[in-house]
């Protein structure tokens, strides 16, 4: 066997291994997206359920906010009408240098102020709020972002489900297109919809738990006491869901409640937001999947394995990028004389990914995203290449506040955000 043939055989073996590894997230994505097309499972609510007909549910809503005076009124005005007189809406004005607290109080909500320049991160802000509420704890606590809108009925839906299941509940969290949306915004919206609606819905239809996505989350008070929120993790919501799942409170998805945010229109803001989300996702994937697998085996729980497999799916653009790179190498080595098996395996994976994306688009995005806009996907992926290269060189580890668009932004430039 010559040197060239030996190198081909080594490349062939390596490609088979890589193709096998890529099959796991590709197949998981396909199963989740196809399962989302199935009829929804019956609601956990039953006629005469004590959670609905018994004592009133005490609800507290926490809204961490850092310099959000310009836009927080929209969030609070969407939540307040959904609360009873005995419920509390509490905003943590976290290291604010504007008049966020005054705006909150003028609307009729409670504002508590936190100043701590060393322990930065919205996890610390949430922990501060939890300690405040612990003086008179509620039955269920809800976390809302300061720049999101809770659609009518959303608070009732997620809190009732949290009480009935005694588990955390994640509402649908979607992003509206900005006023001057580009094809890149549209593709980003598709990716966000697949991650926050299609995949969790598929898991719910299969009777499996989901990841937490950051806002519109309800927790039974007893469950939130099982974990620590005080951290500066840049994707603390995702890690919170994993901690709760291992502790026996795996999050569930509520497809009847929706919370809406807005995609940043400014290019730098969009890039900053995506960098934080995706670097945080990749860091969590690398550190938490082994932990989940170990806990799944130790506790003999299939739901933890399902969460681990879901977490193994990287950001959609990165998955496509990795598949295309490996497929290109496989085609080249096949042309040089290596086995065609890696090409066949990767071709099947490509079909799974493509089918999953098209199924998600056809069911959930066809009205808002024209089919021709999907042609912008390659450009969107190219736009993301520097983001992933940055992860290899210097991954983001600190929470950076996403700059608001002019109509909702504070006058202060982006800074480290210590609030949700």
């Amino acid at each position: 066997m010559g040197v060239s043939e030996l190198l081909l055989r080594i490349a062939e073996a390596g490609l088979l291994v890589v193709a096998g590894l890529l099959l796991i997230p590709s197949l998981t994505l396909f199963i989740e997206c196809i399962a989302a097309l199935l009829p929804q499972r019956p609601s956990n609510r039953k006629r005469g359920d004590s959670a609905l007909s018994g004592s009133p549910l005490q609800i507290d809503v926490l809204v961490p906010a850092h310099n959000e005076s310009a836009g927080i009124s929209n969030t609070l005005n969407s939540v307040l009408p959904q609360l009873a007189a005995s419920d509390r809406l509490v905003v943590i004005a976290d290291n604010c240098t504007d008049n966020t607290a005054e705006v909150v109080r003028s609307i009729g909500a409670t504002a508590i102020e936190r100043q701590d320049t060393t322990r930065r991160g919205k996890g610390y802000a949430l922990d501060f709020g939890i300690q405040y509420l612990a003086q008179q704890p509620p039955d269920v606590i809800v976390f809302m972002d300061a720049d999101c809108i809770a659609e009518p009925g959303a608070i009732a839906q997620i809190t009732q489900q949290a009480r009935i299941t005694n588990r955390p509940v994640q509402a649908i969290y979607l992003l509206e297109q900005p006023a001057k949306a580009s094809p890149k915004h549209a593709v980003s919206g598709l990716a966000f919809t697949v991650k926050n609606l299609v995949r969790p819905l598929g898991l719910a239809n299969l009777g499996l738990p989901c990841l937490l996505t950051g806002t519109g989350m309800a927790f039974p008070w007893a469950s939130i006491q099982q974990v620590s929120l005080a951290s500066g993790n840049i994707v603390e919501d995702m890690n919170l869901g994993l901690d709760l799942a291992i502790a026996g409170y795996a999050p569930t998805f509520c497809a009847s409640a929706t919370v809406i945010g807005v995609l940043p229109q400014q290019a730098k803001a969009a890039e900053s937001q995506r960098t934080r989300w995706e670097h945080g996702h990749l860091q969590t994937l690398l550190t938490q999947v082994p932990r989940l697998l170990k806990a799944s085996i130790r506790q003999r729980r299939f739901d933890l394995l399902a969460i681990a497999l879901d977490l193994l799916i990287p950001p959609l653009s990165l998955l496509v990028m990795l598949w295309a790179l490996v497929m290109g190498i496989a085609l080249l080595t096949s042309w040089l004389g290596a086995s065609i098996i890696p090409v066949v395996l990767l071709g099947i994976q490509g079909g799974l990914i493509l089918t999953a994306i098209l199924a998600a688009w056809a069911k959930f995005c066809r009205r808002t995203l024209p089919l021709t806009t999907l042609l912008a996907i390659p450009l969107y992926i190219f736009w993301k290449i520097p983001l992933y290269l940055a992860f290899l060189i210097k991954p983001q580890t600190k929470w950076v506040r996403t700059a608001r668009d002019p109509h909702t932004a504070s006058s202060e430039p982006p800074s480290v955000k210590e609030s949700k």
Side-chain angles (χ1 to χ4, degrees), residues 289-310:
V289 167
R291 177 181 173 223
L292 285 165
L293 293 175
K294 182 179 179 180
S296 174
I297 295 172
R298 185 176 65 251
Q299 300 183 30
R300 298 181 181 179
R301 289 173 54 191
F302 178 76
D303 61 335
L304 293 181
L305 174 60
I307 295 174
L309 292 174
D310 184 47

Side-chain angles (χ1 to χ4, degrees), residues 12-265:
E12 179 183 315
L15 285 168
L16 285 171
V17 171
V18 174
L21 292 175
L22 283 177
L23 179 61
I24 298 173
S26 303
L27 182 58
T28 304
L29 173 69
F30 174 80
I31 292 173
E32 292 179 354
C33 290
I34 297 303
L37 307 181
L38 301 175
Q40 293 187 27
R41 290 169 62 90
S43 171
N44 288 314
R45 301 179 183 183
K46 298 179 181 178
R47 189 181 302 276
D49 195 309
S50 60
L52 296 179
S53 59
S55 59
L57 187 64
Q58 174 65 43
I59 302 168
D60 286 352
V61 180
L62 272 184
V63 184
H66 173 66
N67 290 349
E68 298 281 4
S69 61
I72 196 171
S73 60
N74 294 328
T75 298
L76 302 185
N77 287 329
S78 74
V79 173
L80 275 171
Q82 303 188 43
L83 301 180
S86 59
D87 299 333
R88 292 181 292 180
L89 175 55
V90 179
V91 175
I92 306 106
D94 194 40
N95 287 304
C96 290
T97 57
D98 66 357
N99 64 332
T100 294
E102 288 77 8
V103 171
V104 169
R105 293 175 184 130
S106 70
I107 292 173
T110 299
I112 56 176
E113 300 183 56
R114 174 181 181 269
Q115 291 294 330
D116 189 333
T117 57
T118 57
R119 296 188 302 168
R120 297 178 177 271
K122 63 181 180 179
Y124 290 115
L126 289 169
D127 181 69
F128 186 78
I130 291 290
Q131 292 181 39
Y132 173 81
L133 297 180
Q135 302 170 35
Q136 187 181 347
D139 297 309
V140 177
I141 184 170
V142 174
F143 293 167
M144 279 287 299
D145 277 1
D147 59 344
C148 293
I149 304 298
E151 292 199 343
I155 302 299
Q157 294 286 339
I158 59 176
T159 53
Q160 292 287 7
Q161 184 167 320
R163 186 177 187 181
I164 294 168
T165 61
N166 195 35
R167 292 163 61 183
V169 176
Q170 174 63 61
I172 300 170
Y173 171 33
L174 298 178
L175 295 181
E176 286 186 346
Q177 299 292 316
K180 299 179 181 179
S182 65
K184 186 170 68 176
H185 286 118
V187 175
S188 180
L190 171 63
F192 200 83
T193 300
V194 171
K195 179 178 180 293
N196 282 12
L197 169 58
V198 181
R199 288 170 52 194
L201 179 59
L203 289 169
N205 287 342
L206 294 173
L208 296 171
C210 65
L211 299 174
L212 295 178
T213 56
T215 185
M217 305 179 294
F219 306 86
W221 180 258
S223 71
I224 207 68
Q225 299 300 299
Q226 304 301 313
V227 294
S228 174
L229 288 164
S231 77
N233 193 292
I234 61 175
V235 284
E236 90 301 329
D237 44 271
M238 184 179 289
N239 279 276
L240 172 60
L242 301 179
D243 290 342
L244 286 166
I246 291 174
Y249 296 92
T252 65
F253 185 63
C254 181
S256 57
T258 303
V259 173
I260 301 293
V262 178
L263 277 168
Q265 185 164 305

